[in-house]
Structures are given as C-alpha cells and as structure tokens.
Amino acid sequence: MKILCTKNFEQQLKAILIEFAKEDFAATKNYKMYLDTIILNIPTKVKKFKKSLYFDDENIKDVEHQGFRIPFYFEKETDTYLILGIVKT
C-alpha cells in the first residue's frame, strides 16, 4: 500500500499553512500533524468516506477535516491512494 500526494495538493496545502501560520504558528503545526495522521489512516477507514462531490467516480472519495475537503483516489490494482488536493468547504 502506498499513499502519494499530487503537486496540486502540496501547493494548496502550502498556501493554507502559510495563511494559518500568520495567525498562530503552533496551531498550524498541530493542524499539519493531525492532517498527516488522517492521511496515513485513510487506508484503514476508506469505507467511512463518501464519494467525492467534485468527481463523478466511485474510486474518488472525500475526507473532511476542519472546514477543508481532501479528495483522494484509490487504485485497486496497485493498492495506491493518491491525494488529489485540499479545498476549503
């Protein structure tokens, strides 16, 4: 099992973290650490997540976390999870 992040996700997350850090750097670190934990746990909780609102594909689901939606794609053949992005809801 692999979890990969797209460049799009990395860029969007970086922009979000920069904005958060302007307000409270310690809270930003906690947010990032908790988000990493959620992403690492996606494979064990994949059935919990609903089909993505942004894509018409059953293999793309959304994780909701503190006002943000994180769509991810699961490729069964390679047992790979691809984090597509992060957007404010």
Side-chain angles (χ1 to χ4, degrees):
M1 177 221 27
K2 292 188 269 184
I3 300 174
L4 305 172
C5 297
T6 63
K7 290 269 186 203
N8 186 49
F9 171 78
E10 292 173 358
Q11 292 170 348
Q12 290 172 333
L13 180 60
K14 183 177 179 180
I16 290 166
L17 294 177
I18 288 171
E19 286 301 311
F20 282 3
K22 290 178 184 175
E23 303 272 329
D24 184 349
F25 185 74
T28 303
K29 283 176 55 177
N30 289 337
Y31 177 84
K32 174 69 168 82
M33 193 174 351
Y34 191 68
L35 181 61
D36 288 345
T37 302
I38 290 171
I39 289 171
L40 289 173
N41 285 315
I42 284 175
T44 62
K45 299 180 180 182
V46 71
K47 292 181 181 179
K48 169 184 167 187
F49 304 117
K50 296 179 183 174
K51 181 180 166 292
S52 178
L53 296 175
Y54 303 110
F55 300 93
D56 188 24
D57 186 330
E58 291 295 323
N59 293 320
I60 301 178
K61 299 183 180 235
D62 287 340
V63 175
E64 292 184 38
H65 174 60
Q66 293 184 351
F68 290 90
R69 191 175 301 268
I70 305 155
F72 69 92
Y73 173 76
F74 176 58
E75 186 175 287
K76 293 177 186 174
E77 293 80 27
T78 60
D79 197 26
T80 300
Y81 295 84
L82 183 62
I83 311 300
L84 302 173
I86 181 169
V87 292
K88 191 168 182 85
T89 54

